[in-house]
Amino acid sequence: MASRDGYQWTEKSGLVKGVPSIGVIQPASNIGGKQERYDVIVVGAGYCGLTAARDAASSGLKVLLLEARDRIGGRSWSSNIDGYPFEMGGTWVSWGQPHVWREISRYNMRQELELSYDFTKGVNHFTLTSQDGSRNMSHEEEDKLMQSALEKFVNVDGNIGKTVMPFPHDEFHNPEVKKFDKLSVADRMAQVKHQLSPDEYTAVLSFVMLCSCSTPDKTSFYEFLHWWALCNFSYEYCIEYLVKYKFRGGQSSFAIKFFEEALATGRLSYAFSTPVSHIKEHNEGVEVRTRTGSVYKAARLISAVPLNVLNDITFFPPLSQGKKAAASTGHVNKCVKVHAECRGPELRSWTGVNYPNGQLLYALGDGTTPAGNTHVVAFGADHDRLTPEKDIEVTKQALQDLTKMELERVVFHNWADDEFAKGAWFFSPPGLVTESLDDMRARQGNIFFASSDWAVGWRSFIDGAIEEGTRAALNVIQDLRMKGGAPLRSVL
Amino acid sequence: MASRDGYQWTEKSGLVKGVPSIGVIQPASNIGGKQERYDVIVVGAGYCGLTAARDAASSGLKVLLLEARDRIGGRSWSSNIDGYPFEMGGTWVSWGQPHVWREISRYNMRQELELSYDFTKGVNHFTLTSQDGSRNMSHEEEDKLMQSALEKFVNVDGNIGKTVMPFPHDEFHNPEVKKFDKLSVADRMAQVKHQLSPDEYTAVLSFVMLCSCSTPDKTSFYEFLHWWALCNFSYEYCIEYLVKYKFRGGQSSFAIKFFEEALATGRLSYAFSTPVSHIKEHNEGVEVRTRTGSVYKAARLISAVPLNVLNDITFFPPLSQGKKAAASTGHVNKCVKVHAECRGPELRSWTGVNYPNGQLLYALGDGTTPAGNTHVVAFGADHDRLTPEKDIEVTKQALQDLTKMELERVVFHNWADDEFAKGAWFFSPPGLVTESLDDMRARQGNIFFASSDWAVGWRSFIDGAIEEGTRAALNVIQDLRMKGGAPLRSVL
């Protein structure tokens, strides 16, 4: 089945909207005409909503899962084109990410991982393109450059960040760290620029902009410190945890496990292509209205709606001032993710940066397609944003600006302009996390808010989504049990 | 409540059997006179059994949990003496351990961790005692010595093990690695001894013997390679993941969360101080007989019984040849864990090794008691095994042999002579893992076998116990659902 999401281009077909994905669910709904009161409605079927729905249904609750898109996975999903999985959003996982690894282990998928990098085939170099021109270096030189540049960038405590953020999963353990959320990446670059060579300057900035897909002035230095701490305070583990291991069958082969487990309980009702417009909360429970006017009722609701689109739903009573403000500020990640299938094997071992002039700032050889071509994945950020669905020729040029390649196919998802996400993975502007994290996480009456966007561990990641879905389901189960209300009577 | 397990000694009280623990469950059983057929019986209430019982009960199954001891936690439990938690078995946890961290996150206990090490108070040195005498060095020197020695020890591939074990959670990914299970640690030491200084020789051997608590000839080199890979191939992360972070309230404050959650489902029956003697499996289910002759029936059974005592239960039909053989071989960890409360703050920042002559081979300052004394934890292995319950004076001398200390109190658990464990955490002799892992993990009819002893990730650890309990519960739930049998009718 093809999803409405994503695009692909080939010389032959031109630009086509929608790409096939095993994450598209058919039939799109299993509700039929029945009207019932659910124990919990989960809004959003990304990893967070899927985890919440699965855990709630497994614990005996009657669950309704509503999703605006035609597919599961939210900001993490894979299209499968001619037998090859292109990752349209969140891609990489690792055993350094506890929640996601627990699930990979539980679903016995440990042996379904493969490496993004393969430096044994092809050109085997890194291309650094900056305002000063372009040159190639070895991957060993790339690693040294990145490590050295990043260590200077994060070294606010003479201990590469270990003193200010000793517990990455308890980020404010040393409250001193909060002051770094006042700094943008631009501010921090100004502090360290005298220590950086021109290559180091480009290297660190392109890497951090790959993380935020924003601009230096809109990116919180603090949030990068948090990522750094999560990655064992080392560039080696940034690679290890952030961009190395992916599913042979694509992300949707993982997400579908959650959905199937929930469905197998016999307690999951669901409707896809069903955007929610209103959520009303009252003493007895919640009421949801969809854009097409259907109304669903439940005792509790889990909103797994991303921060940047939270204000697009009308809540009654209204969202707290804190939540509203956080959602208006929003996170800053405006990633446009572009895959290129390029003729031949040469680029399999290539990585490259093109900053600040490139509209695609970072790319790497990510796989070999069944046709024997190389798959290169590239990331566009907010400094000079691509809209590939409007101008595919500009996008093709942005790929060529990274390194010369013979394009057979382009596949992309423009997350910045995605109606149901308005951005890719969470990355905070200065101030947002330290000021609004508690607000974003807070419950409002019978509504629980869950999203990777406000996870405390691997915030922004699939891991954070599962962390949050886990939390929300447990909270709802405990809440219903404590109240001794009707919802659990059927189970206990 | 005091458990029957563990011992403590003070000058005033002498040697006393049993120490207080919040892991002791009262009442010891909630079964009463009722006779019913359970969906699943879980034998063993360590982290593995607790996880299995919790997950099964949460999913709507009627669970009976049987435990030989008077407490939860199995080989991980804490006693609380005068407001201070002494860890009697498994102690340390980390966010590098995915299953345990998922639970710490889920129970919102991220802020309940504290550091074992504190180098800011007291002597601040490491004491290395070998056949050549004893001397002190700085912790920086200790780290350098250990790092250098261990890298030589594991460097079988010119890449400190990264090439032979690239995926620590898929340990046989490179099948070449299996040959290292033919080597004992003694064999490997013979290969590298020409590269090691006398200090390095003592350092590496004492560290590896701390991991196995056995003897070099009985310890698999392969299994240590697996630990090394799990610890990011670095001594820094051996410390980080193996001996650094512990619960402020002790392990039992964590284990009790699993038990309470299971109990709150209303579907958990349990009986402590109830050793199982016979397990019979037949087409319709399982039948368990206890030592006192009670009989319990269920559709399925999860044995969370450790490897070294598996043959102490009579199975019918008998255990497979593979399981029997693995259990007869057994794992080799014969740890005697000894805590010392020493007068004053000086040893808080002390670490020490005493090998091969010391009966306690490794120790570290692990905390400060409410009385302002230092808590030192020490480990005895199999080369010259202590039996502190028989000779406390010898044990006190073994402590003194590590470094001079004024003993206020000694607290210990002799795991080697523990009837229900016959050893501490799993550590394999050469050959056991490569030959028997599949056998140990295999299901037999309606019986599922789960234990940290045969986990595929953090085997031997609390993390592995949770991994295995998770697997067993999921397998039982799916099995019962697939069969469409009676057991799930009550829930679906």
Side-chain angles (χ1 to χ4, degrees), chain A residues 171-191:
Chain A
E171 57 195 307
F172 306 136
H173 188 88
N174 178 351
E176 282 294 301
V177 78
K178 291 186 180 179
K179 69 183 179 212
F180 298 110
D181 200 26
K182 293 198 170 74
L183 294 185
S184 69
V185 166
D187 296 333
R188 179 62 188 163
M189 287 304 284
Q191 292 178 350

Side-chain angles (χ1 to χ4, degrees), chain B residues 151-152 154-164 180 188:
Chain B
E151 290 196 355
K152 291 173 189 171
V154 297
N155 195 22
V156 289
D157 54 6
N159 196 19
I160 58 169
K162 294 180 183 185
T163 302
V164 294
F180 298 110
R188 178 62 186 162

